[in-house]
Amino acid sequence: MTDTQARTHDEPHHGGLGARLNWLRAAVLGANDGVVSTAGIVVGVAGATENRSTLLTAGLAGLLAGSMSMAAGEYVSVSTQRDSEKAALATEKRELEETPEAELAELTGLLEEKGLSHRLAREAAVQLTRRDALRAHAEVELGIDPDELTNPWHAAGASFLAFTVGALLPLLAIVLPPSPVRLPVTVLSVLAALALTGWWSARLGEAPAGRAVLRNMAGGAVAMAVTYGAGTLLGAAGVA
């Protein structure tokens, strides 16, 4: 096998890539939100007080609230997407039953748009329709695999777990070390974690890693700086 053939063979197909990117989106967003939001909470509280119990309480509250919020939001979002996919499939099924010739002509036109000649597109459309008309229209016209509709429970679970794992790092980093090094350990740990998730997302998405890493680290640094400044001001004012 030549190098060119090997590269072509290794290229992901559309269906597998789409499913992978869907999971990637939920996992990366969950982990990033877990790291950044929990770090923002505990660093902000650390700016106002050094009490370990207070930091632990704030961090746990942020972890639980954030993980449940992420799971619920992902469930609602993906459920809406799944409902839309099912409605589109139902509409396509009805059209195939009521106007099969028009649907065959539509499929032929869609295949022509992909670069096939009219004769070849017509022949392919006829063969695809005979094999499984609904699947053919779903994949070519709607970009949907009828056997792999998005699963809201999977997405919600992935977001919940990813957020929880991400949130545990700043929580442990702020409560385990001794007070003098608590803040720098947390900041460095968070920035390292964001660099890792940025690299991971770019790696799986086959995108340049440098920009993803810098975006993640910059966003986390700004969040921690803002919340620490707010916490310090509240502590100085005697609010905390």
Side-chain angles (χ1 to χ4, degrees):
M1 180 181 293
T2 65
D3 291 342
T4 301
Q5 290 173 324
R7 288 193 297 268
T8 302
H9 180 74
D10 290 338
E11 288 178 356
H13 295 290
H14 180 269
L17 179 60
R20 186 175 69 179
L21 291 180
N22 187 50
W23 281 96
L24 172 64
R25 176 181 63 85
V28 171
L29 286 178
N32 276 356
D33 281 356
V35 172
V36 175
S37 62
T38 306
I41 291 172
V42 296
V43 168
V45 174
T49 178
E50 295 183 355
N51 185 275
R52 192 186 302 269
S53 297
T54 302
L55 293 170
L56 178 60
T57 301
L60 280 175
L63 185 155
L64 292 173
S67 60
M68 294 301 297
S69 176
M70 281 291 297
E74 195 68 20
Y75 179 83
V76 170
S77 173
V78 176
S79 292
T80 301
Q81 179 182 344
R82 184 183 179 89
D83 290 343
S84 298
E85 291 173 344
K86 292 173 71 175
L89 289 173
T91 298
E92 198 62 40
K93 182 178 180 180
R94 185 179 67 252
E95 291 175 348
L96 285 167
E97 293 172 350
E98 296 175 352
T99 57
E101 288 301 322
E103 290 299 301
L104 181 60
E106 181 182 33
L107 183 58
T108 301
L110 291 170
L111 292 174
E112 284 187 84
E113 291 177 3
K114 293 181 178 294
L116 299 181
S117 66
H118 176 74
R119 182 186 62 80
L120 187 56
R122 178 72 177 187
E123 180 180 349
V126 169
Q127 292 186 16
L128 289 171
T129 300
R130 287 174 180 170
R131 177 177 299 177
D132 191 333
L134 181 58
R135 173 178 292 279
H137 281 265
E139 293 180 346
V140 177
E141 180 180 348
L142 305 176
I144 297 174
D145 185 342
D147 295 331
E148 294 186 7
L149 299 183
T150 52
N151 189 314
W153 289 108
H154 289 172
S159 293
F160 180 88
L161 290 175
F163 187 99
T164 300
V165 171
L168 282 174
L169 185 138
L171 176 58
L172 295 176
I174 202 73
V175 299
L176 293 181
S179 180
V181 297
R182 186 175 290 159
L183 189 60
V185 166
T186 301
V187 171
L188 292 176
S189 299
V190 167
L191 292 179
L194 292 176
L196 179 61
T197 57
W199 175 86
W200 179 59
S201 65
R203 175 77 174 177
L204 293 182
E206 299 181 354
R211 285 179 294 179
V213 169
L214 289 176
R215 282 196 302 264
N216 273 12
M217 294 180 68
V222 169
M224 288 187 288
V226 170
T227 56
Y228 181 76
T232 302
L233 290 175
L234 290 174
V239 176

